[in-house]
Amino acid sequence: EKTLLTFLSVAAEQYPAEIYDLILWDHGGGPHNGFAVDEYFSDDGYMSVGAIARALKPSPIEHLDILDFDACLMGSAEVVAALGGFADYMVVSSEVEPGFGQEYNTWLNLLAGDPRMNGFELGLHIVDAFVAFYEDEKQEGYGMDGTLAVVDTKNFRDRLAAPLTRLAEIAEKEL
């Protein structure tokens, strides 16, 4: 938690930008386990979704264009509900990601060529590069299965968060 907040603070101070894409790369364990195995600073090895939120809240980067999990299982409704308020878009996988993860060269070159693109456009490039990498017969990861999606967090909050919360309340009451 402290390490992530420190990173965000240094990035904001030394590398101010018009668009922020925070990439969290490591092992993902979904809403229950969290993200990033860290044997030194976590009792169970993972940074909880709550700890990520606690690091993002006081960050000098007031709002991210994209919160990008290059990690397995972080594309659940619970994770998006908990962290979507910090970013316009999230790039996430609801399944296990292939071992090579995301493909960065393509979309970073596209961003360098058009640094004013919005978060949604950048998110689409990230997903498209991921798909193209695993469909390219010349790549070592050819044919590996994986999913990656761009989630519009405002749309999610406006249309899905309240009904999902209500469903959880009903299920809890009935069980």
Side-chain angles (χ1 to χ4, degrees), residues 67-81:
L67 175 55
D68 180 355
F69 279 99
D70 191 356
C72 300
L73 307 173
M74 299 306 287
S76 70
E78 297 89 347
V79 173
V80 175

Side-chain angles (χ1 to χ4, degrees), residues 8-32:
L8 293 167
S9 299
V10 170
E13 181 182 322
Q14 294 186 13
Y15 305 99
E18 292 181 27
I19 184 170
Y20 285 98
D21 174 4
L22 175 61
I23 301 167
L24 297 176
W25 174 92
D26 199 346
H27 295 287
H32 176 69

Side-chain angles (χ1 to χ4, degrees), residues 36-98:
V37 175
D38 188 342
E39 309 79 28
Y40 298 108
F41 297 106
S42 176
D43 293 337
D44 63 0
Y46 281 95
M47 179 183 216
S48 72
V49 174
I52 295 169
R54 288 190 299 275
L56 291 172
K57 188 170 185 165
S59 168
I61 299 173
E62 294 179 18
H63 199 74
L64 300 165
D65 294 275
I66 298 176
L67 175 55
D68 180 355
F69 279 99
D70 191 356
C72 300
L73 307 173
M74 299 306 287
S76 70
E78 297 89 347
V79 173
V80 175
L83 300 176
F86 296 104
D88 294 329
Y89 301 95
M90 290 178 68
V91 175
V92 291
S93 175
S94 59
E95 296 182 358
V96 175
E97 273 196 9

Side-chain angles (χ1 to χ4, degrees), residues 11 38 81-82 87 89 91 97 144 150 153 167 173:
D38 188 342
Y89 301 95
V91 175
E97 273 196 9
M144 291 182 169
V150 181
T153 59
L167 177 63
K173 189 176 183 181

